[in-house]
Amino acid sequence: MEIEKLLDNNASACYQCEQARGPGCNTFKGVCSKSPETTAIQDHITWLCMQLAAAAVQDRAKVTDEQLVLFNRAMFTTLTNVNFDDDALMRYAEDLTAELTALGVNGVNKSAAEAVATLKDYGLAHRIHKFGETVAGLRETVVYGIRGAAAYADHVFVLEGLDPVRKETWMNVEAMAELNKDDLSVDALLGLTLKVGEANFGIMAALDKAHNAALGQPSFAPVNTRPVEGKCILITGHDMDDLHKLLEQCEARGVNVFTHGEMIPAHAYPALRKYKCLVGNYGTSWRNQRKEFPLFPGPVLFTTNCIMPPREDYKHRVFTTGRVGFPGLTHVANGEFESVIAAALEAPGYTKADVEAANAESPLLVGAMHAEVLSHAGKVLELISAGKLRHIFFIGGCDGSTPGRNYFSDLAEAIPDDCLILTGACGRFRINRVKDYGDIEGIPRLLDVGQCNDVFSAIKIAVALSEATGLAVNDLPLSLCVSWFEQKAVAVLLTLLHLGIRNIRLGPSLPRFLTPDALAVLADKFALKPTNNKDAKGDLADMLAGEH
Ligand code: SF4
Ligand code: SF4
């Protein structure tokens, strides 16, 4: 990385997602379209969170629940593709500054202009210059893991408040506070990454419980992917509570709701699919939104990431809510979606002709969360012992636009018929239309475990199989091929490493923030390896031969 050049230009840099390019992705503008100014404000927010964390661990009794929630929400808002609105971001910075003042920490107030002007003192280039690439990269890994975990924790706050994840929020605060020390070793930083992974495991478990309590136990459900006549709204992101509120408000108004991207698992929950107005899923993963949204005949509501800069031809009908922000879009607060419904009523919606002209498409199956899959555990074990089920693959994670991601579809397509595939997160859309996977004696071969946080389900399934077979999880006929893109995937990866899961294949490229030295440590300790994008079939042969 050309650090000196970055410092000379007083430019901001960012390498937190898989799209990162060049000497600091957004010297002028990020691949995601983030400006250096936005990065500077996000860096400032992150630094303020570090100061808040330090003050919190010094005097825990003084810390309020509101301060813990603010720490978390501020971290969430710096995640890739969540918030591009500098004014909204500065409000988080101001709130953090006010809370720091309340905790007796002064001298942290900065305007947006000052945050940008002082980049040399705290931006990524400065951090790499100060700590060296390996240590700086591991420090960033801790921060990115906390950002990802914060996104999941925010959903828990909305559903059940802070209590179910209080312990884990404190663990992340403690890890963040440690980053104020300049002399952290590689070993100490690895310990912090695993601590964040442990916190994220607890958060994903709490979110699983909260979703089940609020929405019922998910089960297999076929999802319609064809148009349905009538006015309609498209909801994307990850927030099931926002969808629930939207459905309540749309049901009486005769407005249909389609899910998009990471909202498709919603159809598995009884309390959501009971609404007649939840009519199907439209489109695929976030990366296709600029192609798909112009063709949808109604407004689009973004509940979380991943938002891309909207094109002019559909910008006027995109709404954001929660932590999401983009300049020029209408932001809806407090789950009151009347403005979105009004936009749907004004938009054309799907006509009878649209329905007749649509291609025939078979429904997609969702709902393979742990309780549903484990209700078939007896049959799965019977198939394994009869030699009719050879191997189980997890192929999923974040989707993205960078080259090499065909690996995941090539792999899924080549997997033999006597194997099951678990999938989840928006990476599912790389594989769920590749072919008709069929079933093995009634067990669907492609099992969609849900959103990225529902990797928790995949972990529960693996642990149950381990207990039933007496084999350690790492000795099961199970291989994990994880696609990563942003910081939720970092949090999930850290969770898997915290649990001691070895032999994960990660792709389509390894994170830029992990140097060869850091990767060598992870390869040694956890046998973490890159996907061989040019030879999915070679990887498959290795995995089937027991080399995971
Ligand atoms: S979030 Fe990703 S694409 Fe955006 S500036 Fe950072 S590294 Fe680049
Ligand atoms: S799974 Fe990751 S890449 Fe996909 S929409 Fe969610 S945050 Fe974005």
Side-chain angles (χ1 to χ4, degrees), residues 268-417:
Y269 290 98
L272 297 176
R273 66 173 182 240
K274 76 176 186 194
Y275 290 97
K276 288 196 184 66
C277 64
L278 181 62
V279 294
N281 185 78
Y282 170 85
T284 54
S285 80
W286 69 275
R287 76 186 166 97
N288 294 319
Q289 64 191 258
R290 287 164 61 92
K291 277 188 281 181
E292 292 173 349
F293 291 174
L295 303 175
F296 186 78
V300 180
L301 175 64
F302 259 97
T303 66
T304 57
N305 48 341
C306 287
I307 190 167
M308 296 171 82
R311 284 172 26 177
E312 287 304 320
D313 56 349
Y314 69 87
K315 191 174 181 176
H316 62 284
R317 53 186 171 86
V318 179
F319 296 76
T320 60
T321 191
R323 263 19 86 204
V324 194
F326 201 94
L329 302 187
T330 306
H331 190 79
V332 186
N334 306 324
E336 286 161 15
F337 298 120
E338 184 51 41
S339 54
V340 190
I341 293 171
L345 293 171
E346 273 175 29
Y350 280 120
T351 63
K352 196 169 171 208
D354 293 330
V355 176
E356 285 168 359
N359 293 331
E361 258 191 356
S362 52
L364 293 170
L365 185 73
V366 297
M369 282 79 157
H370 55 89
E372 177 69 297
V373 173
L374 294 180
S375 72
H376 300 281
K379 181 69 188 172
V380 171
L381 290 168
E382 182 194 312
L383 291 172
I384 292 175
S385 58
K388 293 177 181 169
L389 170 50
R390 189 169 20 151
H391 205 92
I392 301 175
F393 294 85
F394 176 85
I395 307 175
C398 296
D399 195 14
S401 300
T402 46
R405 286 181 183 267
N406 285 352
Y407 169 89
F408 298 100
S409 30
D410 294 347
L411 179 66
E413 191 170 13
I415 285 174
D417 289 349

Side-chain angles (χ1 to χ4, degrees), residues 238 262 286 305-306 397-399 425-426 452 485-486 488:
H238 304 73
E262 271 287 75
W286 69 275
N305 48 341
C306 287
C398 296
D399 195 14
C426 68
C452 44
F485 168 65
E486 42 62 76
K488 286 182 185 174

Side-chain angles (χ1 to χ4, degrees), residues 14-17 19-20 25-26 30-32 34 39 80:
C14 174
Y15 61 5
Q16 72 172 352
C17 86
Q19 297 178 130
C25 185
N26 66 350
V31 175
C32 63
K34 189 164 73 167
T39 297
T80 295

